[in-house]
Amino acid sequence: MNNVLANRTMEERSDVNLYAELGNIYHLLEKEVTQLNPGCNRCGTCCNFSTFDHVLYASSIEINFITKNTAVPDFNVEDNVCPFLKDNQCSIREFRTLGCRIFYCNPLYKEVLCEMYEKYYHMIKELSFKYNVQWRYLPFLDHMACWKSIS
Ligand code: SF4
Ligand code: SF4
């Protein structure tokens, strides 16, 4: 095996481990959120960010996880609507970001969910350092638009 192939294989192995660990973090979060049960009827309204005056942020690791596993539709940042929202449903639930997983419109849970967000945000950040992935934390739509422009 030549060096290029060997390096690529190492990179692929590292990616597999990285995304397995990210999946575990999401799984832990899902368990905590299920126990908390803030309630959601999956109406999809909060994925139209203007509706809640909400800015969804995401890290490079999460953007990479999405772009490696899904087709990113064309979209206009100015619309301020997630491009993955289809018929008011998330079309990439398995790959959605931490912010998507932790946002609930019920104001009673705002404080506890913010604390939970901090905890998982730091876990993902540590993963970024562990796997030497550049840490960039930007509004989701800007991040996606940037990725689109260079892909
Ligand atoms: S969190 Fe609220 S707005 Fe968002 S999908 Fe659930 S019920 Fe709808
Ligand atoms: S990825 Fe899915 S859950 Fe997250 S904002 Fe987009 S449509 Fe909503």
Side-chain angles (χ1 to χ4, degrees):
M1 191 186 298
N2 66 30
N3 282 346
V4 175
L5 270 180
N7 285 343
R8 195 182 302 155
T9 309
M10 273 175 63
E11 250 175 54
E12 282 163 4
R13 233 181 275 141
S14 171
D15 268 10
V16 170
N17 294 340
L18 162 64
Y19 296 124
E21 286 202 50
L22 181 61
N24 288 341
I25 291 174
Y26 285 155
H27 183 66
L28 274 178
L29 166 67
E30 214 112 312
K31 268 171 80 175
E32 262 199 82
V33 169
T34 303
Q35 275 172 359
L36 195 65
N37 195 15
C40 171
N41 63 14
R42 296 197 185 175
C43 65
T45 312
C46 54
C47 305
N48 181 332
F49 305 125
S50 298
T51 317
F52 280 89
D53 196 18
H54 170 65
V55 181
L56 172 67
Y57 273 75
S59 62
S60 334
I61 288 190
E62 295 170 281
I63 298 295
N64 294 347
F65 187 48
I66 291 173
T67 55
K68 278 176 192 282
N69 289 292
T70 69
V72 183
D74 290 331
F75 71 101
N76 185 347
V77 175
E78 301 302 317
D79 293 343
N80 209 19
V81 178
C82 180
F84 297 106
L85 187 65
K86 299 277 171 264
D87 301 324
N88 289 330
Q89 299 293 309
C90 176
S91 59
I92 58 158
R93 269 190 79 75
E94 198 184 333
F95 305 106
R96 73 198 193 284
T97 70
L98 169 63
C100 306
R101 290 164 197 263
I102 220 161
F103 181 87
Y104 286 82
C105 60
N106 187 337
L108 296 175
Y109 292 86
K110 195 172 176 184
E111 209 171 306
V112 68
L113 289 170
C114 278
E115 282 168 20
M116 216 185 263
Y117 186 89
E118 279 296 306
K119 178 171 114 183
Y120 285 93
Y121 164 90
H122 285 293
M123 287 165 81
I124 294 174
K125 195 167 184 179
E126 277 171 25
L127 206 57
S128 174
F129 294 135
K130 178 175 173 184
Y131 285 91
N132 207 17
V133 176
Q134 189 191 23
W135 180 256
R136 292 180 77 223
Y137 187 67
L138 297 174
F140 180 69
L141 291 184
D142 293 344
H143 227 147
M144 272 299 164
C146 183
W147 180 84
K148 268 286 209 196
S149 71
I150 56 171
S151 64

